[in-house]
Amino acid sequence: MKLFSARSALLSLVAVATALTGCMRGGTSSEPPVHLVLDMDFQPKLRAQAKTEFAGWPDGRSMRAPVADPFGKTLVVAQGSLPDPKLANRTAGNAFVTQNPVPVDGRVLARGQEMFDIHCAVCHGYSGQGGNHPQGGHGLVGRRWPVAIPNFHFVDGADNRVPQMPDGEFFEVITHGKGTMPAYGARIGVEDRWAIVHYIRALQRLSK
Ligand code: HEC
């Protein structure tokens, strides 16, 4: 008898608890369910389009404005009366120009190095010595590339076609790619492509 009442008391307690927490099967309720396990469902946060008092963002917006020029595509060169560098890789006679239209200075060279190290070194190596250079002057990707990665440096007895290419042709290869090399025209700004050509020339001068 005593045992029975203890058990029924326990059962009714479970029933009440179940009803209270709203998890009785088939039951409906217009109330939101009781949240026993919070699972970080409630937390302080900033909502999109909302205002914030956060002092670090003086414009008072909870959303941040997109970063301007995230890939550093714009190189502001003191251009003066430069010809349009986009069109300047070929002459009117359709030959490649030999003269880089962007004037070189320390800043342009540094920019060229930065862009070369980001975009070209994985294949051509930081030194520009190509994928199969015996001294390991190759990029991590270039060393496994199915096609030999050309060397930008002059080598005695080699045909030296690539190191001799005019500036405009380097620009062309960067812009449109060549063979199995991908095109970088969509990823590297015009002035930056010319800056890379300046940097390759500087690398060549080191090995001459
Ligand atoms: C994913 C690897 C890869 C990357 C990155 C790469 N190249 Fe190349 N590049 C190649 C390959 C492969 C060739 C040889 C293509 C062929 O002849 O089929 C080549 C060839 C060249 C040539 C010689 C073209 C010719 O006429 O024979 C130049 C110049 C060149 N790359 C410059 C660059 C520059 C500058 C960059 C950076 C903006 C760059 N490459 C990035 C793989 C790459």
Side-chain angles (χ1 to χ4, degrees), residues 37-208:
V37 182
L38 294 180
D39 278 338
M40 296 174 74
D41 283 348
F42 305 99
Q43 52 184 298
K45 59 173 172 275
L46 298 175
R47 294 194 176 270
Q49 311 287 354
K51 227 179 114 172
T52 175
E53 306 297 325
F54 177 53
W57 296 338
D59 63 4
R61 302 170 190 219
S62 62
M63 289 169 84
R64 302 290 75 217
V67 176
D69 191 21
F71 303 109
K73 285 190 175 167
T74 29
L75 168 73
V76 187
V77 192
Q79 291 196 0
S81 59
L82 262 187
D84 178 359
K86 185 177 254 159
L87 307 170
N89 63 321
R90 288 172 190 268
T91 62
N94 218 20
F96 289 110
V97 296
T98 51
Q99 177 69 43
N100 192 322
V102 172
V104 66
D105 60 18
R107 217 172 119 256
V108 168
L109 262 192
R111 180 66 179 175
Q113 175 174 28
E114 188 188 3
M115 291 288 106
F116 182 92
D117 289 355
I118 292 172
H119 295 283
C120 318
V122 282
C123 286
H124 289 273
Y126 287 96
S127 62
Q129 282 169 315
N132 299 328
H133 193 268
Q135 282 154 27
H138 43 42
L140 280 177
V141 175
R143 83 172 66 161
R144 295 183 182 275
W145 205 258
V147 178
I149 309 276
N151 188 349
F152 295 151
H153 297 268
F154 290 87
V155 176
D156 286 342
D159 83 342
N160 289 325
R161 179 186 62 83
V162 172
Q164 278 168 25
M165 286 184 348
D167 286 356
E169 193 170 358
F170 271 89
F171 182 94
E172 175 86 3
V173 172
I174 301 172
T175 308
H176 298 298
K178 171 107 189 213
T180 56
M181 175 182 150
Y184 285 85
R187 285 162 233 175
I188 307 177
V190 171
E191 287 86 354
D192 283 352
R193 272 174 258 158
W194 286 119
I196 289 174
V197 177
H198 275 308
Y199 181 66
I200 292 172
R201 294 299 183 215
L203 286 176
Q204 288 182 336
R205 248 166 264 137
L206 288 177
S207 65
K208 262 186 196 167

